[in-house]
């Protein structure tokens, strides 16, 4: 938090009815929001008898919003910045409403409040917002076995890739066979790639020799890939194959 109170002659301060500086109680910025959604930022302050000159919001050091109470006809000014879409109808001196969040909306947001003469006080504080962009589709499983999963049997070698595209942060990927997590010994995680939009793509490979232990007592097998970002999960499966020893 930054606090600035202009220094005035001590004798003059005694003549003021109140010598308290502007008080910025709290700046609230949600730490996480989903891409495509909205966010409400708050700037709670007490002028303590002073006249507020302006309330300004900055993103990454650049001004994005200004509210001047004395300008009663047009108190709001908005400054275009990448990733910043402001809902002016729901923004005022204590609230900044952001809409259409995307990856470029991630950043540090600072509220700065300034007062009129004679104190010329200024206070500011900030919060950080991370916009999470989820993959548009479930993870994709590809490989030479995916189209022939109905023919899998003990002794076969399975080689598949699982890809989760275009997210931020990058999705974590895990392989499952019949609901059981596959050992890392049989998986390989490729380096994460970044697209021109700043979003990440994750890729993992499965290479394993099937045994009878990979089939249920009824002879069924299902190979699945699960992508996750935090507590959010997305599931993709090759389907179910029932194996009979007499086939």
């Amino acid at each position: 938090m930054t606090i600035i109170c202009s220094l005035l002659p001590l004798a003059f301060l005694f003549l003021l009815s109140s010598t308290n500086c502007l008080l910025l109680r709290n700046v609230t910025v949600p730490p996480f929001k989903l891409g495509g959604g909205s966010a409400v930022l708050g700037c709670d302050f007490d002028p303590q008898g002073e006249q507020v000159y302006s309330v300004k919001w900055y993103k990454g050091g650049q001004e994005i919003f200004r509210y001047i109470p004395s300008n009663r006809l047009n108190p709001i000014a908005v400054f275009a910045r990448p990733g910043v879409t402001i809902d002016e109808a729901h923004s005022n001196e204590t609230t900044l409403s952001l809409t259409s969040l995307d990856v470029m909306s991630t950043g540090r947001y600072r509220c700065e409040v300034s007062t009129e003469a004679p104190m010329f006080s200024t206070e500011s504080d900030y919060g950080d917002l991370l916009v999470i962009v989820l993959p548009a589709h479930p993870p994709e499983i590809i490989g030479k076995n995916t189209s022939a999963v109905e023919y899998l049997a003990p002794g076969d070698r399975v080689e598949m890739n699982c890809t989760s595209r275009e997210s931020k942060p990058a999705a974590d990927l895990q392989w499952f066979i019949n609901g059981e997590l596959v050992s890392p010994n049989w998986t390989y995680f490729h380096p994460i790639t970044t697209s021109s939009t700043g979003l990440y793509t994750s890729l993992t490979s499965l290479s394993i020799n099937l045994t009878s232990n990979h089939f249920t007592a009824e002879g069924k097998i299902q190979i699945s890939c699960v992508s996750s970002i935090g507590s959010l999960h997305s599931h993709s499966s090759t389907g179910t194959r029932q194996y009979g020893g007499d086939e």
Side-chain angles (χ1 to χ4, degrees):
M1 179 184 294
T2 303
I3 304 174
I4 302 174
C5 285
S6 296
L7 297 177
L8 298 176
L10 183 60
F12 183 69
L13 287 177
F14 280 122
L15 297 178
L16 298 177
S17 59
S18 173
T19 59
N20 289 331
C21 287
L22 164 72
L23 175 63
L24 181 57
R25 293 194 186 97
N26 192 31
V27 170
T28 55
V29 177
F32 305 103
K33 282 292 181 178
L34 291 179
S38 60
V40 176
L41 286 59
C43 191
D44 181 21
F45 60 89
D46 181 0
Q48 299 200 111
E50 297 185 53
Q51 184 70 33
V52 174
Y53 170 68
S54 67
V55 178
K56 300 178 181 180
W57 281 93
Y58 299 84
K59 177 183 180 289
Q62 295 183 310
E63 187 176 2
I64 58 174
F65 178 85
R66 182 185 301 171
Y67 189 94
I68 300 181
S70 61
N71 190 349
R72 296 184 179 181
L73 293 180
N74 297 291
I76 290 177
V78 171
F79 304 90
R81 308 294 182 196
V84 178
T85 302
I86 296 175
D87 181 0
E88 296 185 39
H90 294 91
S91 298
N92 51 46
E93 62 183 334
T94 59
T95 301
L96 180 65
S97 180
L98 304 178
T99 63
S100 304
L101 297 175
D102 61 30
V103 65
M104 295 294 291
S105 306
T106 293
R108 174 161 293 179
Y109 292 81
R110 176 181 292 276
C111 177
E112 178 185 273
V113 184
S114 301
T115 63
E116 301 269 15
M119 294 299 292
F120 298 106
S121 302
T122 299
E123 279 202 52
S124 70
D125 203 356
Y126 65 86
D128 295 321
L129 170 65
L130 173 63
V131 176
I132 297 174
V133 179
L134 299 179
H137 304 285
E140 178 186 13
I141 297 177
I142 59 175
K144 65 181 183 181
N145 303 100
T146 54
S147 62
V149 64
E150 65 270 21
Y151 301 112
L152 290 177
D156 288 341
R157 184 168 184 81
V158 170
E159 293 183 355
M160 298 178 180
N161 289 334
C162 176
T163 305
S164 179
R165 305 181 189 278
E166 299 284 295
S167 69
K168 191 167 187 178
D172 294 319
L173 297 174
Q174 292 178 307
W175 288 100
F176 291 84
I177 297 181
N178 289 337
E180 295 292 329
L181 181 65
V182 175
S183 168
N185 294 333
W186 309 113
T187 62
Y188 173 75
F189 294 93
H190 299 262
I192 293 171
T193 59
T194 306
S195 69
S196 59
T197 60
L199 299 179
Y200 302 125
T201 292
S202 302
L203 171 63
T204 181
S205 297
L206 173 67
S207 181
I208 189 171
N209 292 317
L210 297 178
T211 70
S212 58
N213 293 331
H214 292 118
F215 294 79
T216 66
E218 296 78 21
K220 294 181 179 181
I221 185 171
Q222 185 178 56
I223 302 175
S224 306
C225 178
V226 175
S227 67
S228 60
I229 297 178
S231 60
L232 303 174
H233 299 271
S234 183
H235 177 277
S236 184
S237 172
T238 61
T240 301
R241 148 69 174 163
Q242 183 161 339
Y243 168 74
D246 56 350
E247 293 182 357

